[in-house]
């Protein structure tokens, strides 16, 4: 298979030397690793199609990789696959009618820079922006802090190009905002984690840039209170752009490792970071709504950009502060909003029972009921702690993965929250589009 | 099969008398008609599942119907099917966390009334609101005038319950705003026009109601100008809720049949109806943006609710005014925005060549490039005129159906704008989920 692959992409883009392959074979957290038969780096959709045909006829499986920033082992080999890296599909087209065509290997940061230069914003933003690629973000239907305002990746898509398992190219790229002719194949490929096709290009919606910003950090009398504040925030603030929560343990780590001062004179049970963006300064509107919030015990509003960045720091420095403390288990769950507080109340004792002394740090996106559960000091009890948390999620009608995907890591728990009927339907769709199981074996459906 | 169906839903809900079946067997436009073996009116998801199993084991095909307001013949029998009407699935649950669970047979008007009573809006609105049902709207991924602000039906869905062809019930109803566990089956069922499953319930997102409104009617120097106005409207007005266009022929019919006065002292090449909604009065913002629009030749802004309704009348009375003139061919296409003006310039001559004397009346949703092409005085040349318009759409990279669906009416033209690879992928998905072709035979894929 190697000479055939070399003939397609050139010798220098078929890596077989272990040293050259290494950075593709292990994820950035170091938790998932496997040996690839070869790493292939095509430059075009046509090359991807040719690579897939060669692999299919040789009986080699294919693993697809974007920026290798995933958190669920969905982009590294299990062992023996041809790893297809899309990092060289980096073309960015012109912005026309508020849309842009980008290659799968374009990083989020490169897209953001392009949009910004022409007065637009891209709707999804993530901490991994310098490395994560648009193809990978679509494949996992990535979310982040702006889902409340702009939706997840699927919502940003007005077109897609993908190579299917039989080497055919599915292309839907004219940039139609609305198209009622048959099944939503674009939306189906989004979130399919590379198991139904290899996304090579996308046509993306951009949003007019909103330059005026107001940020407040709120202290709440309870976790229940942050959920109860949401209707007033959403109802009173059409300019609402983000509602992020965190809790005292996370704030403690952020203060310890990032050296930030205490935001309030006392500690409080829960914190909410609220941002509004608009064409005109939304500060007065935000302040007026905050004053009337139920369950509010303290609040601080930033009046300039430096102050806004400082308030965001309490939320954004969580990930690095947790990592400074140790290697956490990183879970990403969502709950019905009415059960979010109940989950947060119960999860600590469940974790303690599974692994005495383990330390959960939680934060996330309130509007979507999305809790990032990071757990430190779990020793060898990784699976036991994961199971305890995800069983609780399932008992509360939640999802075991809100925005990270299933990958290989969450496969054992998929059946907790997706019914046999749903899993059978997914398997039928997989078999329909990839009958030989060529693409990303072991991902999502195991 | 009749006694078995009677045993499930009760004798009175299995209609076999031609007079009783008649209203289900012909669509409201009178263009599509067929004889059903029987009309079955289940009350619950369980009854729907039992009906499907009976039909499957008897070898009878199933046609699914909501409010029978479709425009493409997707809800009436071709002949011999068991017609399953979902009109009795009318339960509406409580509004919780900005979401509501509704049965497939709930009308849009009933949902709107429920939402309004608790300070919410539903994101999709249509002229057929008193008759069309939520199930049918999901099945066709219905759009309408507010897509710019809130998206189409798929975007309103946070959960779905559907009976699959094998009688199994796919239920995804906890109301999770974000769920990264596998394929987007909810989004796939939306827009599948009943061919992949029978939607029986949905969990829907509601939006906080915005009570302050500003409406302007703009006259533009050309059709190109209305497209060129869009970036300034979108960029300058976060409160933008609708941007609708119409042209002199449509305005003429509206003035003739609805008796409206001329909106401006002279006739202009194109008109744009712009609405903003917000928590605070958006009139000043709207007026400031309108003043600076390129290609503007005249404008009128309504300052009170009566004036706003009057301005909306010019756009909303198009459909009834066209019907008052005759029975039109109703096409619903979308174009890339950069080619919208080109389409409108070319379509008149194409129609004239196919059918001399035919009169196209066009209006629609500018942001989505969605043009409703109504054509009067086509005599017996229905297919020729349709073909002329849709061939032009295809040559301009458009869609032959933007928001009406494919149904049976558009099947012959599906291949114009969906590639063989796309159609093969759709067929594979259909075969995977409905291998015997039980559901809605002839719809979408023929």
């Amino acid at each position: 298979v190697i000479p055939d692959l070399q003939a397609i992409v050139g010798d220098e883009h078929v890596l077989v030397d272990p040293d050259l392959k290494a950075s593709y074979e292990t994820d950035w957290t170091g938790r998932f690793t496997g040996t690839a038969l070869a790493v292939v780096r095509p430059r075009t959709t046509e090359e991807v199609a040719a690579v897939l045909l060669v692999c299919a006829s040789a009986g080699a499986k294919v693993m697809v990789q974007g920026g290798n920033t995933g958190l669920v082992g969905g982009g590294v080999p299990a062992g023996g696959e041809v790893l297809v890296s899309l990092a060289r599909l980096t073309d960015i087209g012109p912005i026309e009618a508020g849309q842009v065509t980008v290659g799968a290997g374009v990083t989020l940061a490169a897209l953001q820079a392009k949009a910004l230069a022409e007065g637009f914003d891209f709707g999804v933003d993530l901490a991994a922006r310098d490395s994560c690629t648009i193809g990978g973000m679509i494949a996992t239907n990535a979310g982040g802090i702006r889902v409340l305002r702009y939706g997840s990746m699927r919502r940003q898509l007005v077109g897609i190009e993908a190579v299917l398992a039989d080497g055919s190219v599915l292309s839907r790229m004219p940039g139609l905002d609305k198209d009622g002719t048959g099944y939503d194949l674009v939306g189906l490929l989004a979130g399919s984690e590379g198991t139904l096709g290899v996304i090579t290009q996308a046509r993306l919606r951009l949003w007019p840039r909103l330059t005026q910003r107001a940020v407040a950090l709120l202290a709440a009398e309870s976790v229940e209170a942050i959920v109860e504040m949401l209707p007033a925030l959403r109802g009173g603030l059409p300019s609402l752009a983000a509602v992020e929560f965190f809790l005292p343990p996370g704030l403690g780590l952020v203060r310890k490792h990032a050296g930030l001062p205490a935001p309030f004179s006392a500690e409080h049970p829960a914190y909410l970071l609220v941002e509004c963006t608009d064409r005109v300064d939304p500060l007065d509107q935000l302040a007026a709504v905050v004053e009337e919030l139920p369950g509010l015990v303290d609040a601080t509003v930033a009046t300039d950009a430096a102050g806004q960045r400082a308030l965001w720091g309490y939320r954004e420095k969580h990930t690095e502060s947790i990592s400074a403390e140790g290697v956490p288990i990183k879970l990403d769950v969502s709950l019905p909003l009415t059960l979010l507080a109940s989950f947060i109340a119960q999860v600590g004792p469940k974790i303690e029972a599974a692994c005495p002394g383990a330390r959960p740090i939680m934060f996330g996106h309130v509007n979507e009921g999305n809790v990032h559960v990071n757990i430190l000091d779990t020793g060898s009890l990784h699976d036991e702690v994961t199971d305890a948390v995800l069983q609780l999620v399932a008992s509360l009608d939640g999802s075991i993965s809100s925005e990270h995907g299933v990958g290989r890591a969450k496969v054992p728990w998929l059946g907790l929250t997706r019914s046999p009927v749903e899993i059978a339907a997914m398997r039928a769709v997989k078999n329909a589009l990839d009958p030989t199981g060529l693409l990303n074996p072991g991902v999502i459906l195991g």
Side-chain angles (χ1 to χ4, degrees), chain A:
Chain A
V1 69
I2 305 293
D4 288 341
L5 296 173
Q6 288 172 328
I8 297 165
V9 300
D11 294 8
E12 71 274 33
H13 294 299
V14 180
L15 313 180
V16 290
D17 181 317
D19 288 346
L20 296 177
K21 288 192 300 176
S23 69
Y24 299 88
E25 292 178 323
T26 301
D27 81 319
W28 70 275
T29 69
R31 291 178 299 151
F32 303 100
T33 190
T35 303
L37 182 67
V39 173
V40 185
R41 297 159 33 95
R43 175 71 184 88
T44 64
T45 300
E46 293 68 32
E47 289 184 6
V48 172
V51 166
L52 260 54
L53 283 176
V54 163
C55 292
S57 68
K61 302 297 183 190
V62 168
M63 194 73 209
V64 191
Q65 190 177 93
N68 198 13
T69 61
L71 286 160
V72 289
V76 292
E81 301 98 326
V82 171
L83 191 153
V84 177
S85 166
L86 300 176
R88 292 177 66 229
L89 280 73
T90 52
D91 293 341
I92 306 187
I95 295 177
E96 303 163 315
Q99 301 177 350
V100 64
T101 296
V102 302
V106 168
T107 63
L108 174 56
L111 171 61
Q112 287 173 329
K114 172 81 175 182
L116 182 58
E118 303 196 28
F120 291 93
D121 257 333
F122 184 62
V124 174
D125 193 18
L126 298 180
R129 62 186 71 85
D130 292 322
S131 306
C132 69
T133 60
I134 299 303
M137 292 173 71
I138 296 169
T140 55
N141 191 28
I145 59 171
R146 293 170 166 183
V147 172
L148 179 150
R149 181 67 164 265
Y150 299 119
S152 298
M153 277 302 284
R154 189 178 284 118
R155 169 80 175 136
Q156 318 307 318
L157 277 178
V158 285
I160 214 165
E161 184 179 80
V163 182
L164 303 185
D166 65 0
S168 62
V169 177
L170 190 153
S171 182
R172 191 82 199 135
M173 293 292 280
L176 298 173
D177 208 41
K178 207 169 56 178
D179 183 3
T181 52
Y183 308 152
D184 183 20
L185 300 173
V186 174
L188 180 63
L189 285 163
S192 69
E193 303 188 40
T195 62
L196 300 181
V198 182
I199 296 164
T200 53
Q201 276 199 93
R203 181 110 181 138
L204 299 168
R205 192 191 309 277
L206 302 174
W207 302 88
R209 187 165 178 77
L210 299 168
T211 54
Q212 300 297 306
R213 185 177 308 266
V215 178
L217 181 63
L218 315 180
E221 66 183 18
S222 64
V223 174
E224 285 80 1
I226 63 175
V227 175
E228 285 158 14
M229 288 174 179
L230 193 61
L233 290 168
R234 290 196 59 203
L237 295 167
S239 59
L240 194 65
V243 180
E244 298 285 306
F245 85 94
F246 53 89
L247 301 174
L251 177 60
L253 290 189
V254 167
R255 292 195 53 209
K256 173 179 171 187
H257 292 287
L260 301 190
F264 300 108
S265 55
E267 187 172 275
H268 300 291
Y271 303 93
L272 216 49
L273 194 289
V274 178
E275 179 171 279
C276 295
T277 55
D278 205 340
R279 292 283 296 182
V280 294
D281 188 349
L283 183 62
D284 291 348
Q285 265 196 340
L286 174 57
V289 168
V290 164
E291 262 180 28
E292 304 291 325
L293 287 176
L296 184 75
V297 289
D298 208 344
T300 174
V301 177
T303 54
D304 60 13
Q308 292 169 358
R309 277 194 300 275
L311 290 186
W312 265 110
Y314 290 107
R315 164 64 183 82
E316 290 199 317
K317 290 181 191 297
H318 266 67
T319 300
E320 67 190 62
S321 300
I322 293 165
S323 294
E325 194 82 356
V327 177
I329 297 177
K330 293 176 97 69
L331 302 175
D332 160 45
V333 304
S334 57
L335 286 307
L337 269 182
T338 48
L339 297 171
L340 183 65
S342 173
F343 170 78
I344 290 174
Q346 292 181 62
V347 73
K350 295 280 187 192
I351 291 170
E352 179 66 20
C355 176
R359 288 186 291 156
I361 316 291
M362 290 181 278
F363 58 93
H365 320 298
V366 177
N367 184 63
E368 297 87 51
N370 184 182
V371 185
H372 292 296
V373 185
N374 285 244
I375 311 143
L376 288 161
D377 302 339
T378 52
S380 62
L381 297 172
H382 187 287
D383 283 358
E384 290 79 356
V385 170
T386 299
D387 195 58
V389 175
L390 299 185
Q391 293 279 358
L392 176 62
V393 166
S395 76
L396 297 173
D397 265 347
S399 167
I400 62 156
S401 182
S402 183
E403 58 182 17
H404 291 172
V406 176
R408 289 206 179 91
K410 304 289 171 60
V411 169
W413 291 279
L414 183 65
L416 276 184
T417 58
R418 303 300 298 245
S419 69
V421 172
E422 291 178 280
I423 290 173
M426 288 189 220
R427 210 176 284 281
V429 170
K430 167 71 175 177
N431 290 340
L433 296 181
D434 181 15
T436 67
L438 177 73
L439 301 172
N440 284 13
V443 170
I444 296 182
L445 293 167

